């Protein structure tokens, strides 16, 4: 626990309640996270972890499945919060990308959770990172939670 606290920092800790090592969903709604996975993180969202082509694919998926609630500009709507930019990232800083992926897959779109493929969810995450001003790179974000758990969301520049 104390080691995890050191790794993850205060912003992420506020989003989690720990019971016997398992993360339990709290009001802020972050899905289950494995501390072990966080300690294995080997890269960050500043390292170019998605491609621009992937983000463009993600934009199509987003516009069809998410924009009605979260807005064309990802800035949120009447009921739904923003899903890009500093106001969003502050809640996800020091959380692995795989946890964000899982949270979206389990709960979104709110009117039909889980109805997209893993590839589509992954492309949407790439789009959200792109719209949060993280750099694109040469390699696509892999549609594999364990791989995404190795990539830490860090505060932008
Ligand atoms: C029918 C409306 C609706 C749709 C469609 C929808 N969402 Fe949401 N979303 C919400 C609401 C309401 C919340 C806040 C409640 C909650 O956290 O579950 C939310 C919360 C979220 C959060 C958590 C934000 C945070 O920082 O806690 C993420 C991420 C998210 N949505 C992503 C998506 C993505 C990606 C899609 C498309 C695949 C999507 N949503 C589609 C309504 C929607």
């Amino acid at each position: 626990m104390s080691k995890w606290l050191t790794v993850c920092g205060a912003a992420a800790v506020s989003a989690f309640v720990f019971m016997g090592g398992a993360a339990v969903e709290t009001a802020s709604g972050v899905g289950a996270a494995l501390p072990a996975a966080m300690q294995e993180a080997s890269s960050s969202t500043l390292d170019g972890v998605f491609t621009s082509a992937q983000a463009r694919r993600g934009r199509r998926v987003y516009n069809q499945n998410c924009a009605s609630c979260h807005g064309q500009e990802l800035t949120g709507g009447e009921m739904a919060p923003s899903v890009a930019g500093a106001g969003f990232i502050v809640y996800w800083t020091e959380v692995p990308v795989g946890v964000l992926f899982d949270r979206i897959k389990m709960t979104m779109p709110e009117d039909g959770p889980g109805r997209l493929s893993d590839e589509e969810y992954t492309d949407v995450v790439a789009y959200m990172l792109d719209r949060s001003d993280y750099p694109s790179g040469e390699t696509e974000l892999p549609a594999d939670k364990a791989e995404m758990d190795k990539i830490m969301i860090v505060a932008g520049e």
Side-chain angles (χ1 to χ4, degrees), residues 11 40 52 57 79 83 86 91 114 116 125 130 144 146 148 152:
E40 281 167 18
S52 50
R57 288 201 311 265
M79 305 296 289
V83 288
Y91 291 109
L116 307 179
V125 170
D130 187 44
D144 177 338
M148 284 189 266
M152 194 63 85

Side-chain angles (χ1 to χ4, degrees), residues 28 65-66 69-70 80-81 83 88 92 103-104 108-111 124:
S28 72
N65 297 281
C66 320
C69 293
H70 291 284
V83 288
F88 170 70
W92 292 91
R103 150 70 151 126
I104 295 171
M108 296 291 141
E110 207 188 32
D111 51 359
V124 168

Side-chain angles (χ1 to χ4, degrees), residues 7 11-12 27 38 44 55 61 68 70 72 76-77 110 119 125 129-131 133 143 153 156:
V7 171
M38 307 187 77
S44 88
V61 179
S68 57
H70 291 284
Q72 286 287 335
E110 207 188 32
E119 285 71 21
V125 170
L129 294 176
D130 187 44
R131 292 297 300 261
D133 287 334
I153 299 171

Side-chain angles (χ1 to χ4, degrees), residues 54-132:
Q54 183 177 28
R56 281 197 298 277
R57 288 201 311 265
R59 180 172 59 180
R60 281 198 296 276
V61 179
Y62 177 88
N63 285 341
Q64 280 168 16
N65 297 281
C66 320
S68 57
C69 293
H70 291 284
Q72 286 287 335
E73 299 302 318
L74 294 76
T75 46
E78 255 172 63
M79 305 296 289
S82 70
V83 288
F88 170 70
I89 292 301
V90 70
Y91 291 109
W92 292 91
T93 301
E94 305 298 332
V95 176
V97 174
V99 174
L100 175 59
F101 165 83
D102 228 33
R103 150 70 151 126
I104 295 171
K105 183 179 168 180
M106 299 300 169
T107 64
M108 296 291 141
E110 207 188 32
D111 51 359
R115 76 164 180 245
L116 307 179
S117 68
D118 278 8
E119 285 71 21
E120 289 173 315
Y121 280 116
T122 306
D123 290 350
V124 168
V125 170
Y127 179 51
M128 289 163 58
L129 294 176
D130 187 44
R131 292 297 300 261
S132 300

